[in-house]
Amino acid sequence: MALANRSLVTIDDLTNGEIEALFSLVDEMSDSIDRQSDICRGKVMASLFFEPSTRTRLSFEAAMQRLGGSVISAADASATSLAKGESIADMARVVGSYADIIVIRHPWEGAAKVAADYAGIPVINAGDGGHEHPTQTLCDLYTIKKERQTIKGLRIALWGDLKYGRTVHSLTYALARFGATILFRPGPGLELPEHVIRKLTTEYGGELNRYETLGQVVKEGLFPMDAIYITPSSPHQLAMMPDISIQVELKSGVDALYVTRLQKERLNATDEQQKKGKYPVINKKLLKEKEFKRTLVMHPLPRVDELAYELDADPRSMYFKQAARGVPVRMALIALLLGAKEVPVTEKDSFSRKIDYPCYRRGFGVKCSNPKCVSRQETETKYIKPQFKIVANQPLTLRCIYCEHEVHPGYIASSDWHEGRLSNKKYHSANSHWARKIRAENLIVFDSEIEAEACGFKPSSYTKMPKQKGQRKESRKK
Ligand code: CP
């Protein structure tokens, strides 16, 4: 298996075939967890946790010790040189010269990618802000597969904080790739972010039907969903008749209910207002309904109030199994990334290839819209230049390569201008036909007319076009 020396930053760094192959190694290791102590003997894992953790950190450290390796750790950024202003890149380079593999959790979105870009050794993302938590998804998928033998065709409800829940984002992508139908039940104001929805619908080929189209029964019933994602493997008519089909879906039962706590530590002032609404709770009363008769109750933990303790003895409750499986899952992952184990991979589906979007790398004109992105942090801007994948041109949509939030720049120009006269150095609205006409390698984008003019471009007759959804209002203040 060609996993040796690779990093795991997002769940899309592994193909479905690689995940299945990893699970076969997890099965093998689970059966003999105390007989694996020669596999990584002499290897060192650096465990860098700059946000609180019980399960992820301790299961990674237990996994490395079970494999016969050793662990060096930093569990508090204030006790490292990050507190003196050291960049993540410098830290990663240095730790990369002390250890064989790095596991990192950091509050900035995209921090794990930066560490992976600079460490020179495999890096595993143990959670980067509200972005992704791919190894939790491996534990979640493995649990579903163990309990239900398959993921394809299952109806899986994601419940709670879908906005900031990084485990939800990684799991959503993986469920879509493996062909599940996903039912979204967010807390108030905590719907799935737009950039996650776009990736879901444009890259995994399914269809998302939103709340407004779902019909009163679903909206006001026991399971008031926000949206449903239907995979391309579902029957076509399901996607065509959302109201009826969703009732059919629910009547057939929910296979798994994946609950998350409110990620209080990530809320901003607007979220604080919305938080006053009712956060959904899973309890015995809800699980009495026939839709949940065989439902696996899942939670990445820690829980707060959203999952009642009265369910702990219920055979449907899976959350402590998910946590326990963290050790063999992470043992298998470490062994594969270190090249200490190999397993054959079979690719059975079309989700093995990532879309090769053109990149915008000019480093000026536009920055990531997400204040929590690593590319926006003072210590990191000295060496990180904003970079984006150009994922659509109508409206022009750039996806940050670090945190995956999207920006919709208002103005564009072409680097081709100099082939003509200086008077040809024009900028246009990003909503004009020029967004399709300018080749990706020549594209220059600007957030504002002021920036375009500061770079020597003059307005064309295609500068004033109506704003499209998602575009920011520009201030003309000088
Ligand atoms: N599930 C999870 O990430 O738990 P910890 O925050 O305790 O690591």
Side-chain angles (χ1 to χ4, degrees), residues 223-239:
F223 195 91
M225 286 182 296
D226 170 68
I228 181 168
Y229 174 83
I230 298 164
T231 72
S233 55
S234 297
H236 185 58
Q237 66 270 25
L238 202 61

Side-chain angles (χ1 to χ4, degrees), residues 52-57 105 133 136 166-167 300-302:
S53 171
T54 298
R55 276 146 293 274
T56 315
R57 180 179 168 204
R105 172 171 287 188
H133 190 349
Q136 179 63 49
R166 56 192 172 199
T167 66
L301 301 179

Side-chain angles (χ1 to χ4, degrees), residues 1 17 20-22 24 342-346:
M1 186 182 194
E20 302 265 18
L22 182 137
S24 64
E342 284 203 12
V343 280
V345 178
T346 317

Side-chain angles (χ1 to χ4, degrees), residues 17-85:
E18 287 167 342
I19 291 173
E20 302 265 18
L22 182 137
F23 287 169
S24 64
L25 185 57
V26 180
D27 286 340
E28 194 185 310
M29 289 190 158
S30 304
D31 291 341
S32 53
I33 207 155
D34 52 356
R35 295 199 302 278
Q36 311 289 336
S37 59
D38 283 329
I39 293 175
C40 291
R41 195 170 292 286
K43 298 288 184 189
V44 176
M45 181 183 89
S47 163
L48 311 176
F49 277 75
F50 304 127
E51 273 193 336
S53 171
T54 298
R55 276 146 293 274
T56 315
R57 180 179 168 204
L58 297 183
S59 62
F60 261 117
E61 295 186 2
M64 191 52 166
Q65 295 194 12
R66 294 267 183 202
L67 292 167
S70 51
V71 178
I72 54 173
S73 62
D76 179 1
S78 68
T80 72
S81 289
L82 291 178
K84 301 177 207 162

Side-chain angles (χ1 to χ4, degrees), residues 275-343:
K275 199 179 80 179
K276 297 197 174 92
K278 213 166 161 211
Y279 198 83
V281 174
I282 305 287
N283 52 24
K284 258 188 181 166
K285 184 170 172 247
L286 179 85
L287 289 191
K288 275 203 181 105
E289 298 301 324
K290 60 179 182 313
E291 292 90 334
F292 303 115
K293 203 169 163 197
R294 291 186 63 247
T295 302
L296 305 174
V297 180
M298 302 181 71
H299 195 308
L301 301 179
R303 69 175 143 184
V304 190
D305 299 319
E306 66 288 346
L307 178 61
Y309 279 78
E310 64 190 13
L311 295 176
D312 291 359
D314 191 304
R316 291 168 291 185
S317 294
M318 289 291 127
Y319 29 96
F320 291 116
K321 276 191 183 176
Q322 284 166 265
R325 285 169 175 154
V327 175
V329 166
R330 291 174 172 118
M331 284 171 75
L333 180 66
I334 293 168
L336 291 168
L337 297 184
L338 284 176
K341 277 278 187 186
E342 284 203 12
V343 280

